[in-house]
Amino acid sequence: MRWVLLGGHGMLGQDLQSVLAQAGEHFWALGSADCDIRVPGAVTHAVRDADVVVNCAAWTAVDKAEEHEGEAFMINAVGAHNVAVACAAAGVRLVHVSTDYVMPGDGDQPWPEDAPQAPASAYGRTKAAGEWAVRQASPDAYVVRTAWLYGAGGGNFVKTMLRLAGERDTLTVVADQVGQPTWTRDLAELIVRLVNSGAPGGYYHGTSSGSTSWHRFAQEIFTLSGLEARRVAPITTDQFPVPAPRPANSVLGHDAFDANGIEPIGPWNERLAAALPVVTRGT
Ligand SMILES: NC(=O)c1ccc[n+]([C@@H]2O[C@H](COP(=O)([O-])OP(=O)(O)OC[C@H]3O[C@@H](n4cnc5c(N)ncnc54)[C@H](OP(=O)(O)O)[C@@H]3O)[C@@H](O)[C@H]2O)c1
């Protein structure tokens, strides 16, 4: 199969490149300079010879989106629409990557794939609009929501914790938000399994299993790195104000993957142990 990766040099895009290369697949990874998804003609040109397109391109600066919602909307919603229209016209299968931020974030149960979207942040609104546009223009598309990503190819929580461990004796980390830390390499492999499965289009939740808080995630990073976990102290969301509201409950249910017999990613702590040597290599 011929794959085109839009936003293909970002954190997820880099791991998709590795996974596809290992699988011997043909792929083209395009950055924004190669294909700006805000430009319909550029997208039409980029996808014309593909069998599968994975749209990893996004405005991902969550806090900055609060003051730049229009710019974020142009990429996350209008850009996503352009990609879906071009894929539908060319008969290309689309995988569109989305986020837990489209969910309201309350409650204590995992969000099912069909839960109504109710984003609390500007970033979440733009991503929810993108999901809607993709499903309208390309009903066969896979919309893969993910969350709490970390990987070798970008800045992320794991790298930040290890950097701060070298700079400070103790750290404080939010303990009242829960989610599923997810390695971009695991997500890349899951996306390939999804496409190869031939499962029907729709919403899928691409995250590790289990759940944890940012605080316990940080403690696990410390423990696995031979550092003392008690150096990480818990605080509440109120004690760490940021511009964009964060979902307190980001846990995503995996019914759609289960129903289609697609092998899940696995428990977040086991995957973190496998990922750490790779993610921190060279840092
Ligand atoms: N990181 C997380 O924790 C997280 C959580 C949930 C969901 N997600 C979603 O997962 C996906 C991948 O995230 P990521 O962490 O890999 O993001 P990332 O590292 O920030 O990569 C995003 C890429 O989008 C590209 N891009 C930005 N504007 C573009 C445009 N106008 N046209 C084409 N490309 C453009 C950038 O390419 P250039 O560098 O070439 O400009 C960048 O490499 C996104 O949809 C994101 O919303 C991420």
Side-chain angles (χ1 to χ4, degrees), residues 4-21:
V4 167
L5 312 178
L6 301 171
H9 302 301
M11 188 164 70
L12 174 60
Q14 289 180 49
D15 272 342
L16 270 165
Q17 289 190 49
S18 311
V19 167
L20 291 172

Side-chain angles (χ1 to χ4, degrees), residues 6-13 30-33 35-38 55-60 75 97-100 123 127 146-150 153 184:
L6 301 171
H9 302 301
M11 188 164 70
L12 174 60
L30 306 179
S32 60
C35 174
D36 184 333
I37 64 168
R38 294 170 296 185
N55 182 25
C56 308
W59 173 296
T60 53
I75 300 171
V97 183
S98 192
T99 170
D100 55 308
Y123 168 73
K127 292 292 285 187
T146 189
W148 291 34
L149 288 181
Y150 61 88
T184 42

Side-chain angles (χ1 to χ4, degrees), residues 257-272:
F257 277 115
D258 293 346
N260 287 286
I262 297 166
E263 185 191 342
I265 287 177
W268 73 268
N269 47 347
E270 291 178 17
R271 300 315 302 151
L272 177 63

